[in-house]
Amino acid sequence: MKIRLKKSLVAVAAACGLMAAPAFAKPTDADPALWVMRDADTTIYLFGTVHLLPKDLAWFDEAIADAFNSSDELKLELLPVDNPASLAPLVMKYAMDPNGRTMAQRLSKEDHASYVKALSEIGLPADQLEPLEPWFIGLQAVALMYAKAGYDPTSGGEQILTEAARKAGKTITAFETPEQQFAMLDATPEAEQLVGVRDLTKRREEALLLISKMIEQWARGDAEGTGRLMNEEMKQTPETARILLTERNVRWAAELIDRLSRPGVVFVAVGAGHLTGENSVQNLLTKHGIKVERVRY
């Protein structure tokens, strides 16, 4: 999923695995966090991804590569969408306001003028986006903003892992369908969606700096620091956090517990935000008596 912007939105970005940041000063070796859970005949690795990364950030090596190579299944949030045009019916169903409202009707005259100016600076035609929901507009704006900054999803976790899994002939599964993700985004409160739209007009540079800090924490394997930062950001949008983080983590933890009943090695790769904080997937598994260990490397 592509994301909206700024403080309340940065955490959503991380949760969905969608973060980009100013380029590292030089090629950097990253050692992101990895966890593992096991029973007698099943091993499940948990890896938090970032959707957009600097091209010179080396992370798919050492323990990450070893765990992936030992697996026979890659499990993602969402199966790869090879043809974006196939999502058009979902855009019509979930991203168009059912009551025909426009962004001009949602925002004050002053806020709307600032919003139109911001989209123009990013490179999006505000007039064509008027009938769309705020969450969808925000996702497109941030995606384009990062693309113009030189970041490409081909450098991100999901893309690299998917390509490697296909090449190795691994099974690729997913927790959710595109329609489920669209429905969840559309279910977030409009008031919280508009927080991001308004901030998009005012604090883009601050958002980039904040995301850069989160990327650096991810690269260091500082899951605790990432969790603290994300929890602070999500205070502005508690219902969005509940829908996009907590409730999904509960469902995913239950699915992983069920997966332990079948033998094999599974490499789970989901947005980094799902593996940090009090309501992380690991903590939920622990509450069910499942031992989850950090892989040290």
Side-chain angles (χ1 to χ4, degrees):
M1 292 185 287
K2 295 185 174 63
I3 59 164
R4 292 164 291 149
L5 186 56
K6 211 261 168 185
K7 286 191 173 181
S8 60
L9 304 162
V10 168
V12 172
C16 299
L18 285 147
M19 297 189 290
F24 287 80
K26 59 182 180 179
T28 305
D29 177 64
D31 296 311
L34 178 69
W35 293 266
V36 64
M37 52 191 281
R38 296 184 173 92
D39 66 9
D41 58 3
T42 309
T43 298
I44 299 178
Y45 291 99
L46 302 175
F47 177 60
T49 61
V50 177
H51 187 61
L52 301 170
L53 286 170
K55 291 182 179 297
D56 58 6
L57 188 62
W59 59 269
F60 192 26
D61 53 19
E62 301 178 69
I64 306 298
D66 290 343
F68 177 84
N69 290 337
S70 72
S71 69
D72 41 56
E73 176 184 347
L74 171 65
K75 192 171 190 68
L76 305 168
E77 291 185 36
L78 184 73
L79 290 177
V81 179
D82 295 321
N83 177 20
S86 67
L87 300 178
L90 296 180
V91 174
M92 295 298 296
K93 181 177 180 179
Y94 292 103
M96 300 288 291
D97 187 276
N99 299 313
R101 291 178 304 159
T102 64
M103 287 298 294
Q105 292 172 307
R106 289 185 170 93
L107 298 169
S108 68
K109 185 175 181 180
E110 179 182 355
D111 283 346
H112 187 260
S114 298
Y115 152 82
V116 170
K117 182 175 183 291
L119 287 195
S120 176
E121 291 170 351
I122 292 170
L124 285 173
D127 57 333
Q128 295 180 27
L129 301 177
E130 276 293 310
L132 293 167
E133 299 275 7
W135 66 264
F136 186 82
I137 296 171
L139 299 185
Q140 306 315 305
V142 173
L144 180 57
M145 185 174 72
Y146 290 155
K148 291 178 71 173
Y151 301 103
D152 188 328
T154 59
S155 299
E158 293 85 356
Q159 183 69 29
I160 289 176
L161 291 169
T162 297
E163 290 177 357
R166 285 173 169 170
K167 184 176 181 179
K170 298 180 188 292
T171 299
I172 304 176
T173 59
F175 286 107
E176 298 163 352
T177 66
E179 180 154 13
Q180 287 173 323
Q181 289 202 350
F182 269 75
M184 283 185 289
L185 285 163
D186 193 42
T188 58
E190 182 175 299
E192 294 188 5
Q193 295 178 32
L194 290 174
V195 169
V197 170
R198 292 188 180 97
D199 286 340
L200 178 66
T201 69
K202 301 172 183 178
R203 302 189 179 184
R204 294 195 297 275
E205 292 302 317
E206 182 180 340
L208 286 170
L209 290 173
L210 182 61
I211 295 172
S212 177
K213 183 177 180 180
M214 295 178 79
I215 286 278
E216 292 172 3
Q217 290 175 329
W218 177 86
R220 293 198 306 268
D222 184 4
E224 293 78 11
T226 302
R228 286 193 297 270
L229 185 59
M230 287 183 57
N231 287 338
E232 182 63 28
E233 301 311 321
M234 293 298 275
K235 287 181 179 179
Q236 294 189 67
T237 55
E239 280 299 293
T240 297
R242 179 182 64 81
I243 294 168
L244 297 184
L245 281 174
T246 307
E247 291 186 350
R248 295 168 79 200
N249 288 356
V250 170
R251 292 194 296 270
W252 296 357
E255 189 167 336
L256 291 173
I257 292 172
D258 179 70
R259 182 61 185 81
L260 282 172
S261 66
R262 303 188 303 280
V265 181
V266 185
F267 190 94
V268 175
V270 297
H274 293 283
L275 304 182
T276 62
E278 181 181 356
N279 295 311
S280 68
V281 171
Q282 304 96 303
N283 284 353
L284 293 170
L285 289 166
T286 299
K287 290 178 182 179
H288 284 86
I290 306 297
K291 184 178 181 180
V292 183
E293 298 178 292
R294 176 80 179 260
V295 178
R296 301 294 176 181
Y297 68 102

